[in-house]
Amino acid sequence: MKKNLLAMLLVASLSVALTACGANTSAVESQPQTTEEKVEDETEEVVEETTEEISDEEAAAHVAELIDAIYVQTRTDETDAQCEEAKKAWDALTDAQKELVEGENADPDYFGRDTGDASLDDPLNSDEIGENEILVVSFGTSFNDSRAKDIGGIEKAIAEAFPSFSVRRAFTAQIIINHVQARDGEKIDNVDQALERAVNNGVKNLVVQPTHLMHGAEYDELMESVEKYADKFETVVVSEPLLGEVGADEKVTNTDKETVADEVVAAAIKEAGFEDVDAAEEASTAFVFLGHGTSHKAKVTYSQMNTVMNDLKYSNAFIGTVEGEPEETEVEAVIEKISEAGYKNIVLRPLMVVAGDHANNDMAGDDDDSWKSLFEAKGVFENIDCQISGLGRIEGVQSLYVDHINDALAAANFVIEDASASDISELEDGEYIAKFDTDSSMFHINETMNGEGTLTVKDGQMTMKIVLSGDGILNLYAGLAKDAENDEKNWIDHDTVKVTYDDGTEEEVNSFIIPVKAIDEEFDLALVGKKNKWYDHKVIVSDVKKVQ
């Protein structure tokens, strides 16, 4: 409309001018292109360029408004529709328009940044979960790879340790929940949604495990939400956050903090390529473990972690925080301390459960105010490396969460009837023969073994050696195929054994030692063969007989 109006006004003005000069209309028609036509064509081009520029800006501004509308900490009845609308509007932009997106919290990275494959993550929000639930509550992250490896790693470890519980997820950051939903279509429950889901599913016994580092503001808000639902369950147990009780001052530490210090230092040293902490010291290398920081009274936890590092003789390990609280963890204070100590090489690594936005941007980003950039600007260090790896993917840290749940259950005299535990308790330590059946004719015990394997019971755990019919199956996995693909460290490798058939022929086939979760009860066991594709199967162990 703007273009047509402007063009008509220009043409009308020019026509009046030409008429006043006595222009001959018949002569105009015979010429290839009149001055008037040239002006009109040029006007069209100018107007189109102006209109296109305005249109790009308006389209980008509209998307920015939609992003800002969902960049909030409160979920409403309109949230789902708003997330969908924002993604559709973004997808409709040209690449040039996407670069113009800018708002109070909006930028092109909101939808455009590649943070990994969201389909590899499980939001753990399914229903029909039984009477016993462990709700794993995290702050959350929109970085897909980190969400699957760090938070997902903790959740899987807990699920494996407590097979009689259904493990479910909740995030406390609605801003992150909305981001993941809008960008990737993955819906993650907030705490209220997760608790309401548990009630609707008939959960009787609820265990809440926060993955938060400490008893800070996020933990306090979580407790308020849990208290609102406490009377809707028969039993509710809340486990400790990662670093346990806070303590009165910086000198008060505990075994949780010591465990985390040992684990994160060991992981950092290994990734940096050193044999041990002394080798790193000799190479003039300092490790900076960067936490979030907080104004909450629990901020003394970071000072306590500094104390632990000193007590454990990690003289080249330093604690920093993004927020600079407490003061000694502020970036300039940490840089000065390391500079005075004479270290020349720096390794930055998160002291955070998840390697998300803070790790990728505040720690390792290219902006002038990132920790990496500020260390570089100091001009006294020879090399600054960044390790983008959260605490949640460290096995020792995962085990610590499992220990916290066990401690909380014991403290609350929380007893759950567990079929596998009951079966194990009835079996003395020793060796047994048991039948092993599967849901597939291609996955079965070798015929020389009569459908049986050797079951070993030791210290409350059961494992079974099975000999298969051939060598086509290369690895097994105690769980589902979708989880196996990204959990190589827990693949079960095969051994090769020789079997002799009734006709005297011999053959080398593959055997495995598998964990047995229960007797007379199906459990998941995935397999992968020579085609490198994982398949789901159900197996069952039964007819247990003592080996005489």
Side-chain angles (χ1 to χ4, degrees), residues 179-234:
H179 191 173
V180 175
Q181 180 176 338
R183 185 189 62 198
D184 304 310
E186 178 181 337
K187 294 185 178 181
I188 299 170
D189 287 344
N190 61 31
V191 175
D192 286 338
Q193 285 176 304
L195 292 171
E196 194 65 38
R197 187 185 297 276
V199 172
N200 294 337
N201 275 272
V203 171
K204 294 181 180 180
N205 305 302
L206 177 69
V207 179
V208 179
Q209 175 59 65
T211 67
H212 304 116
L213 218 61
M214 64 189 72
H215 287 266
E218 292 287 328
Y219 182 88
D220 292 344
E221 291 176 9
L222 169 61
M223 292 303 298
E224 291 177 4
S225 297
V226 172
E227 287 173 5
K228 292 188 298 184
Y229 283 84
D231 61 350
K232 299 182 184 295
F233 305 99
E234 292 182 7

Side-chain angles (χ1 to χ4, degrees), residues 102-225:
E102 183 178 356
E104 182 178 357
N105 296 292
D107 58 39
D109 281 347
Y110 188 87
F111 283 113
R113 184 168 187 171
D114 181 9
T115 65
D117 186 354
S119 68
L120 299 179
D121 181 49
D122 186 350
L124 294 177
N125 58 4
S126 60
D127 295 318
E128 299 179 7
I129 60 177
E131 296 182 351
N132 307 317
E133 176 184 336
I134 298 175
L135 180 61
V136 181
V137 181
S138 306
F139 178 81
T141 180
S142 61
F143 281 72
N144 293 329
D145 282 345
S146 297
R147 191 167 65 256
K149 293 177 182 178
D150 296 329
I151 296 175
I154 295 167
E155 294 164 343
K156 289 173 184 175
I158 292 173
E160 183 176 341
F162 300 96
S164 64
F165 286 80
S166 293
V167 175
R168 290 296 175 267
R169 170 191 292 179
F171 282 1
T172 56
Q174 188 67 46
I175 290 172
I176 290 174
I177 293 172
N178 291 353
H179 191 173
V180 175
Q181 180 176 338
R183 185 189 62 198
D184 304 310
E186 178 181 337
K187 294 185 178 181
I188 299 170
D189 287 344
N190 61 31
V191 175
D192 286 338
Q193 285 176 304
L195 292 171
E196 194 65 38
R197 187 185 297 276
V199 172
N200 294 337
N201 275 272
V203 171
K204 294 181 180 180
N205 305 302
L206 177 69
V207 179
V208 179
Q209 175 59 65
T211 67
H212 304 116
L213 218 61
M214 64 189 72
H215 287 266
E218 292 287 328
Y219 182 88
D220 292 344
E221 291 176 9
L222 169 61
M223 292 303 298
E224 291 177 4
S225 297

Side-chain angles (χ1 to χ4, degrees), residues 56-69 90 93 96-111:
D56 285 349
E57 293 173 347
E58 289 177 345
H62 177 60
V63 171
E65 290 176 2
L66 295 175
I67 292 174
D68 285 340
W90 167 264
L93 296 181
Q97 291 170 338
K98 288 175 180 178
E99 291 299 319
L100 299 176
V101 172
E102 183 178 356
E104 182 178 357
N105 296 292
D107 58 39
D109 281 347
Y110 188 87
F111 283 113

Side-chain angles (χ1 to χ4, degrees), residues 120-391:
L120 299 179
D121 181 49
D122 186 350
L124 294 177
N125 58 4
S126 60
D127 295 318
E128 299 179 7
I129 60 177
E131 296 182 351
N132 307 317
E133 176 184 336
I134 298 175
L135 180 61
V136 181
V137 181
S138 306
F139 178 81
T141 180
S142 61
F143 281 72
N144 293 329
D145 282 345
S146 297
R147 191 167 65 256
K149 293 177 182 178
D150 296 329
I151 296 175
I154 295 167
E155 294 164 343
K156 289 173 184 175
I158 292 173
E160 183 176 341
F162 300 96
S164 64
F165 286 80
S166 293
V167 175
R168 290 296 175 267
R169 170 191 292 179
F171 282 1
T172 56
Q174 188 67 46
I175 290 172
I176 290 174
I177 293 172
N178 291 353
H179 191 173
V180 175
Q181 180 176 338
R183 185 189 62 198
D184 304 310
E186 178 181 337
K187 294 185 178 181
I188 299 170
D189 287 344
N190 61 31
V191 175
D192 286 338
Q193 285 176 304
L195 292 171
E196 194 65 38
R197 187 185 297 276
V199 172
N200 294 337
N201 275 272
V203 171
K204 294 181 180 180
N205 305 302
L206 177 69
V207 179
V208 179
Q209 175 59 65
T211 67
H212 304 116
L213 218 61
M214 64 189 72
H215 287 266
E218 292 287 328
Y219 182 88
D220 292 344
E221 291 176 9
L222 169 61
M223 292 303 298
E224 291 177 4
S225 297
V226 172
E227 287 173 5
K228 292 188 298 184
Y229 283 84
D231 61 350
K232 299 182 184 295
F233 305 99
E234 292 182 7
T235 312
V236 177
V237 173
V238 181
S239 184
E240 284 289 317
L242 182 60
L243 298 178
E245 291 291 341
V246 174
D249 57 48
E250 65 182 23
K251 297 181 180 180
V252 178
T253 62
N254 56 31
T255 56
D256 292 336
K257 295 179 178 67
E258 292 173 1
T259 297
V260 172
D262 280 334
E263 292 291 342
V264 73
V265 169
I269 289 171
K270 181 179 179 180
E271 188 169 334
F274 295 108
E275 183 176 348
D276 53 34
V277 68
D278 292 334
E281 181 78 44
E282 291 176 6
S284 191
T285 299
F287 295 89
V288 180
F289 300 104
L290 185 63
H292 183 276
T294 178
S295 58
H296 191 275
K297 62 182 180 180
K299 67 183 179 181
V300 70
T301 301
Y302 294 107
S303 302
Q304 292 166 350
M305 285 300 294
N306 257 326
T307 299
V308 168
M309 291 295 184
N310 292 328
D311 290 345
L312 295 175
K313 309 302 181 185
Y314 297 138
S315 58
N316 56 341
F318 300 84
I319 304 297
T321 62
V322 173
E323 298 294 330
E325 294 190 72
E327 290 182 2
E328 69 266 23
T329 62
E330 188 267 335
V331 61
E332 293 297 342
V334 175
I335 290 175
E336 192 62 31
K337 190 184 303 182
I338 295 174
S339 177
E340 289 177 358
Y343 291 102
K344 296 300 181 184
N345 303 302
I346 309 298
V347 175
L348 300 172
R349 185 183 177 103
L351 186 68
M352 306 175 191
V353 174
V354 175
D357 182 70
H358 291 303
N360 284 274
N361 295 326
D362 296 314
M363 184 186 81
D366 293 326
D367 289 345
D368 292 341
D369 59 350
S370 76
W371 278 59
K372 183 190 74 170
S373 296
L374 291 170
F375 267 90
E376 290 172 342
K378 182 68 174 178
V380 298
F381 304 111
E382 296 176 2
N383 191 53
I384 294 96
D385 290 328
C386 296
Q387 297 179 354
I388 309 297
S389 186
L391 295 172

Side-chain angles (χ1 to χ4, degrees), residues 416-527:
I416 299 295
E417 291 296 328
D418 188 315
S420 62
S422 175
D423 292 330
I424 295 173
S425 67
E426 294 172 9
L427 300 175
E428 298 176 351
D429 282 9
E431 287 192 350
Y432 300 79
I433 296 296
K435 293 190 72 64
F436 179 85
D437 292 309
T438 79
D439 58 0
S440 170
S441 61
M442 303 298 291
F443 176 30
H444 58 83
I445 294 293
N446 190 279
E447 64 183 67
T448 63
M449 309 303 295
N450 298 314
E452 295 175 331
T454 302
L455 182 73
T456 300
V457 180
K458 185 178 180 181
D459 298 332
Q461 301 293 322
M462 294 189 292
T463 58
M464 189 174 192
K465 181 177 181 179
I466 55 174
V467 178
L468 301 185
S469 59
D471 61 357
I473 297 173
L474 302 181
N475 296 97
L476 298 177
Y477 179 79
L480 299 174
K482 67 181 181 66
D483 298 325
E485 294 176 351
N486 298 288
D487 192 17
E488 186 174 352
K489 68 179 183 296
N490 288 316
W491 291 1
I492 304 169
D493 291 326
H494 69 274
D495 286 323
T496 301
V497 299
K498 185 179 291 185
V499 296
T500 303
Y501 297 102
D502 290 342
D503 62 1
T505 60
E506 295 181 341
E507 182 183 21
E508 287 191 343
V509 298
N510 291 345
S511 70
F512 296 83
I513 296 177
I514 63 169
V516 176
K517 295 184 177 181
I519 303 297
D520 295 324
E521 181 179 326
E522 283 189 340
F523 57 92
D524 295 302
L525 192 65
L527 64 82

